[in-house]
Amino acid sequence: MEQAVPQTFDRVLSSMCTRPHPAAREAAERFLATNPGDPETYRTVADLESRVVETLGTMTGLDQPHGYVASGGTEANIQAMRAARNRSSAADPNAVVPSSVHFSFQKAAEVLDVDLRVAPVGPDRRADLDAMASLVDEETALVVGVAGTTEYGRVDPIPALAELAADASAFLHVDAAWGGFALPFTDHDWHFGHAAVDTMTIDPHKLGQAAVPAGGFLARDAATMDALAVETPYLESTSQATLTGTRSGAGVASAAAAFDALWPDGYREAYERMQANAEWVAEALADRGFDVVDPVLPLVAVDLPEPLFDAVQEREWRLARTERGELRLVCMPHVTREMLSAFLRDLDACRARI
Ligand code: 0PR
């Protein structure tokens, strides 16, 4: 049988995955057959996981971070809601989220039987404080803010959301799954050091350039991990706070290797290049007369007429739309200026033809 070969990233313009750093790829292969879910047996990878959590803490303003390398942002978001629910005394708990949250919160609410209350975002596409506040009540266990939204790369007003959560004795979770490796090099207030944030999602397998699967779950307090832990009678370790049991040592090791190679200077350089690319392509699209949503983080949304979108997609570009139908260009580390220029040439050619 012919061996299958994965696609290249050469025409991938709307994904939040990217080519892993070479050291991350190599480490993933090396640690393929390890299981950090059993830390007493697989001690090396367990040590690597502690190092990853330490570095994530440094990136997010936490001196004594708690957390682990999850399977991805979805698991980390589910765990945040689970921890908040388990620590809440509400009989019928709810979570208040802006409409810009990732669809993983819908899964979390369904699995955990939490009432998901969705507040419309403001005209700036960020969480609207009044709309969020009007949904919060004494049964609210969790308030969510997003630092780098999936569709438009927006950063919610995290300090104000933290106050809202604190006033209701609810937890504040920040979803920085995608934005977390760019935000340290911006002046946004988004992390544990900026506000009373309780938990965070920050994924090495997105902008962190680690191999899939490597998500990040962080908590300010040990009590949050305790609220997630179950006893593990037949393992040498006493409890397990993760959602998955056996899990990928490849993801853990690749995140550790990526951090060794890239934190902080490599991530800063990557962010500056990605952001410059996003601003460049945003301007090029605006010059052509299209409506462009400016890139706060390296993500550009642009309103293309549907026939034009379809025509460029037929030229083998891997593209995705926002819910409203705009093209989402995610300027990940693999997206070069040359790729964007080639895309614009195809766009111009298709437009001339239509
Ligand atoms: N939170 C945010 C803000 C996200 O953007 C995402 C994923 C998640 C949580 C969930 O993370 P996991 O997918 O790791 O569980 N956002 C991307 C999206 O849904 C995921 C993605 C990645 C989609 C690569 C396509 C793709 O090719 O658009």
Side-chain angles (χ1 to χ4, degrees):
M1 208 174 72
E2 214 181 303
Q3 206 178 33
V5 176
Q7 60 163 84
T8 71
F9 280 96
D10 292 353
R11 291 178 94 79
V12 175
L13 289 181
S14 299
S15 180
M16 289 187 171
C17 295
T18 195
R19 199 178 285 129
H21 186 278
R25 175 189 293 275
E26 190 277 325
E29 287 168 1
R30 200 159 14 103
F31 278 82
L32 206 56
T34 61
N35 170 24
D38 178 2
E40 288 300 322
T41 303
Y42 300 97
R43 292 186 185 187
T44 310
V45 80
D47 289 344
L48 290 178
E49 183 163 37
S50 307
R51 275 175 42 197
V52 169
V53 171
E54 277 303 313
T55 305
L56 287 174
T58 306
M59 293 169 57
T60 62
L62 261 189
D63 287 342
Q64 288 183 300
H66 304 276
Y68 69 94
V69 177
S71 55
T74 298
E75 180 186 340
N77 286 338
I78 292 171
Q79 290 281 78
M81 192 180 287
R82 182 172 160 233
R85 187 202 63 176
N86 289 358
R87 291 190 75 183
S88 159
S89 54
D92 187 14
N94 67 70
V96 176
V97 304
S99 58
S100 53
V101 286
H102 185 257
F103 51 73
S104 46
F105 286 96
Q106 231 173 292
K107 300 182 187 177
E110 198 178 310
V111 170
L112 295 163
D113 196 20
V114 166
D115 175 23
L116 193 68
R117 299 185 173 177
V118 183
V121 294
D124 59 359
R125 301 180 176 80
R126 302 161 77 215
D128 180 275
L129 273 183
D130 292 336
M132 297 280 287
S134 72
L135 297 178
V136 170
D137 61 20
E138 60 283 359
E139 298 281 282
T140 301
L142 181 69
V143 174
V144 176
V146 189
T149 58
T150 311
E151 292 200 314
Y152 300 106
R154 262 42 192 173
V155 182
D156 287 336
I158 302 302
L161 290 174
E163 278 179 38
L164 177 66
D167 288 347
S169 303
F171 273 61
L172 181 76
H173 175 66
V174 172
D175 183 357
W178 178 70
F181 287 80
L183 287 161
F185 314 108
T186 69
D187 52 17
H188 292 281
D189 285 337
W190 63 284
H191 69 39
F192 294 96
H194 300 139
V197 174
D198 294 291
T199 53
M200 182 180 287
T201 295
I202 173 168
D203 288 350
H205 74 199
K206 295 189 171 74
L207 287 175
Q209 301 179 44
V212 178
F217 174 76
L218 290 179
R220 184 186 291 276
D221 301 324
T224 297
M225 303 310 289
D226 293 344
L228 293 170
V230 299
E231 286 175 21
T232 51
Y234 37 79
L235 292 183
E236 287 303 303
S237 46
T238 53
S239 70
Q240 189 175 82
T242 55
L243 195 58
T244 51
T246 300
R247 60 200 170 92
S248 173
V252 171
S254 83
F259 291 6
D260 282 347
L262 296 168
W263 171 257
D265 295 342
Y267 287 131
R268 179 183 294 108
E269 282 158 27
Y271 162 70
E272 284 168 359
R273 193 168 42 80
M274 295 183 296
Q275 188 63 29
N277 281 342
E279 284 166 18
W280 179 83
V281 78
E283 196 178 312
L285 290 162
D287 285 347
R288 285 163 170 77
F290 298 115
D291 275 340
V292 176
V293 182
D294 65 302
V296 169
L297 288 171
L299 197 168
V300 179
V302 54
D303 208 356
L304 297 182
E306 202 158 324
L308 183 54
F309 189 109
D310 295 343
V312 279
Q313 202 161 36
E314 264 166 42
R315 295 198 174 200
E316 299 292 309
W317 292 102
R318 297 287 174 251
L319 308 174
R321 286 171 231 251
T322 64
E323 195 178 354
R324 287 192 59 245
E326 296 126 325
L327 165 63
R328 272 165 74 219
L329 290 174
V330 190
C331 294
M332 296 297 291
H334 68 268
V335 176
T336 60
R337 192 68 64 96
E338 292 68 39
M339 274 171 76
L340 292 169
S341 297
F343 172 74
L344 290 174
R345 279 198 298 279
D346 276 355
L347 186 75
D348 290 340
C350 292
R351 200 182 187 192
R353 196 107 52 70
I354 289 169

